[in-house]
């Protein structure tokens, strides 16, 4: 009987560690998705501002350039155009709403106004990214340790 309890305690401890690691990975995925969105907005700003590129072919070209395994690459591959672009999965609710708002209105005005809109959204996403980086830095080593500690406490309760 005590062997089963010891095994359960070890499993709870390992589960706590894994839960902490999963949170750290979610934060890292969110940061990477925000960096990709900022890169996409910067590229769109350049293409619209300097080349006056047509958005239809540009969306297809960018979908081919992005890694299909990345969050934004999957979103671009599944979209028929920028207006139908779904927000990457790792983004939080407010960030996803901002993403949807940004891309839904793309292509509805002249190049100067589009560049001004993109500058506004770039600033917003840079603010989101700064917050995500701070949160990721705060939880870099704590999440695993706290998960391990919580699992160990639960394991001790079983013993």
């Amino acid at each position: 009987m005590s062997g089963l309890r010891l095994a359960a305690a070890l499993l709870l401890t390992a589960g706590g560690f894994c839960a902490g690691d999963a949170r750290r990975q979610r934060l890292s995925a969110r940061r990477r998705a925000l960096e990709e969105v900022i890169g996409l907005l910067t590229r769109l700003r350049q293409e619209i501002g300097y080349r006056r590129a047509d958005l239809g072919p540009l969306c297809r070209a960018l979908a081919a350039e992005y890694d299909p395994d990345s969050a934004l690459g999957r979103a671009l591959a599944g979209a028929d155009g920028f207006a139908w672009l779904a927000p990457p999965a790792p983004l939080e609710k407010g960030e996803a709403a901002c993403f949807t708002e940004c891309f839904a209105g793309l292509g509805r005005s002249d190049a100067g106004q589009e560049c001004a809109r993109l500058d506004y959204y770039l600033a917003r996403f840079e603010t989101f990214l700064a917050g995500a980086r701070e949160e990721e830095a705060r939880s870099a080593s704590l999440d695993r340790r706290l998960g391990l500690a919580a699992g160990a406490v639960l394991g001790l309760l079983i013993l």
Side-chain angles (χ1 to χ4, degrees):
M1 184 73 164
S2 66
L4 288 176
R5 285 185 174 188
L6 180 61
L10 289 174
L11 284 175
L12 281 172
T13 303
F17 178 82
C18 290
D21 189 53
R23 182 175 188 277
R24 187 190 58 79
Q25 288 177 5
R26 279 192 310 273
L27 291 173
S28 180
R30 177 176 162 233
R31 178 195 39 84
R32 283 192 308 272
L34 286 169
E35 289 171 347
E36 287 180 338
V37 168
I38 288 173
L40 176 63
L41 290 174
T42 303
R43 175 81 184 272
L44 284 172
R45 168 94 172 68
Q46 292 169 348
E47 294 286 339
I48 292 170
Y50 301 119
R51 293 186 48 205
R52 309 275 192 233
D54 185 24
L55 294 179
L58 180 60
C59 184
R60 288 186 293 278
L62 288 174
E65 286 180 21
Y66 275 85
D67 180 18
D69 292 332
S70 70
L72 191 58
R74 285 189 298 273
L76 279 168
D80 292 332
F82 288 115
W84 296 277
L85 191 59
L91 296 183
E92 290 183 346
K93 190 175 181 178
E95 297 162 350
C98 185
F99 182 92
T100 303
E101 180 183 314
C102 172
F103 285 98
L106 200 60
R108 303 198 192 284
S109 56
D110 68 353
Q113 290 174 332
E114 288 293 343
C115 288
R117 280 187 74 248
L118 289 172
D119 286 338
Y120 168 74
Y121 285 109
L122 269 168
R124 288 194 62 192
F125 277 102
E126 285 171 356
T127 303
F128 292 146
L129 179 60
R133 283 183 176 154
E134 285 177 21
E135 188 175 1
E136 185 180 20
R138 265 185 280 136
S139 71
S141 64
L142 281 179
D143 286 343
R144 288 180 179 167
R145 290 179 189 169
L146 289 175
L148 183 67
V153 167
L154 289 174
L156 286 174
L157 290 174
I158 287 179
L159 292 176

